[in-house]
Amino acid sequence: MPDPGLTLEGISIRRNGRLLVDISDHIAPGEVLTVMGPSGSGKSTLLSYIIGTLDSAFVAQGRVVLNGSDITDLAPEARHVGILFQDELLFPHLSVGENLAFGLRAEVKGRAARAERINAALADIGLDGFANRDPDTLSGGQKARVALMRMLLSEPKALLLDEPFSRLDTERRGQIRSLVFGQARAKGLPVLLVTHDHADAEAAEGRVHRLE
C-alpha cells in the first residue's frame, strides 16, 4: 500500500548555480509541515515546483508524490493540489456565490445541486446567506474564508499555504489559522505552510523545516 499524504522526495532547486531548496520529507494526511526562511530563501519557489508552475530560470530535481502517485510531471490542473496565497484573489466581477461556484468540480451538475453545495459551504464558514454579496463588501477575514472554501470545493488532495495569514490583523489571523488548519485536518489533507512568522508555525503544531 502506498503511503497516503504528500511526499517530497529529494527535491533540490537551484538558480544560477546557487542551491535554494534541499528537502526530503513526508506529510501525512491532516499533518502540517512548516517551511520557514527569510524573503528570497526559496519558500515560494518550492510551492511553485509542487504545483507545477516553476519558472524555467530555475533548475530542479526530485519527485512530488501524492497518495502514492508521482505527480511531478503532470499539468498543474491534474495534480489536485490546492493553494492559498497572501491575497484572496477573489473575482471582483462575480458575487460571493459565483466565486465559490468557480471552485466546484464539473461532476456537480444542475443549478439546484450547485446552489445547495454553495449555501452549505457558506454556512460551514459562518457566512450563511452571503451568496449574493459583492466581494468588495466583505472584511479581510470574510474574504479569506471565501477564498479557503472556494479552494476546498475543488476537492484537493493536498493543501499549500503561501503566507495566507500575513495580511490579516492579529485577531482575524488567529481565527483564520484555526479555520484553515481545522478544515484541513477534518478533510485529512496534508498541508505545507511556508511562512516567516513564528506564530504561524506554532499554530500549525507540526514539524518545521528551515531554509537558510
Side-chain angles (χ1 to χ4, degrees):
M1 288 287 292
D3 276 344
L6 180 64
T7 302
L8 311 177
E9 193 174 289
I11 294 176
S12 65
I13 305 176
R14 290 176 166 81
R15 182 165 187 172
N16 298 326
R18 176 178 168 233
L19 182 65
L20 295 174
V21 175
D22 184 15
I23 186 172
S24 291
D25 215 318
H26 176 75
I27 311 168
E31 182 183 23
V32 182
L33 174 67
T34 300
V35 174
M36 298 194 71
S39 297
S41 61
K43 301 188 301 298
S44 294
T45 303
L46 172 61
L47 299 188
S48 295
Y49 184 66
I50 294 171
I51 63 174
T53 60
L54 187 65
D55 190 279
S56 59
F58 296 90
V59 176
Q61 63 185 39
R63 298 200 312 154
V64 181
V65 180
L66 183 56
N67 296 333
S69 297
D70 188 341
I71 65 170
T72 314
D73 297 321
L74 295 182
E77 63 273 14
R79 297 187 181 210
H80 301 293
V81 176
I83 186 166
L84 285 178
F85 298 98
Q86 289 182 5
D87 296 314
E88 301 86 5
L89 303 179
L90 300 181
F91 301 116
H93 61 291
L94 299 179
S95 68
V96 168
E98 288 167 339
N99 265 277
L100 291 182
F102 192 85
L104 282 172
R105 295 177 66 83
E107 292 81 22
V108 183
K109 298 183 183 299
R111 182 177 296 178
R114 293 173 73 84
E116 183 179 356
R117 185 74 65 88
I118 288 165
N119 289 332
L122 286 169
D124 198 29
I125 55 174
L127 296 178
D128 202 0
F130 275 58
N132 294 323
R133 288 277 294 270
D134 184 330
D136 283 344
T137 67
L138 303 184
S139 68
Q142 289 170 333
K143 288 179 181 177
R145 281 186 265 169
V146 173
L148 168 66
M149 188 50 69
R150 182 179 63 182
M151 186 271 302
L152 291 176
L153 284 172
S154 69
E155 298 179 21
K157 297 176 181 175
L159 174 57
L160 308 182
L161 304 176
D162 192 359
E163 305 206 37
F165 316 119
S166 62
R167 293 183 183 271
L168 299 170
D169 61 43
T170 303
E171 182 181 356
R172 290 198 184 100
R173 188 177 301 178
Q175 294 172 347
I176 300 302
R177 276 197 204 110
S178 297
L179 179 66
V180 171
F181 295 142
Q183 289 278 341
R185 291 187 178 107
K187 296 179 184 299
L189 299 178
V191 179
L192 179 61
L193 164 69
V194 303
T195 184
H196 62 269
D197 188 333
H198 290 278
D200 286 347
E202 290 174 7
E205 298 180 348
R207 292 172 291 111
V208 176
H209 179 92
R210 299 184 185 279
L211 298 178
E212 300 304 325

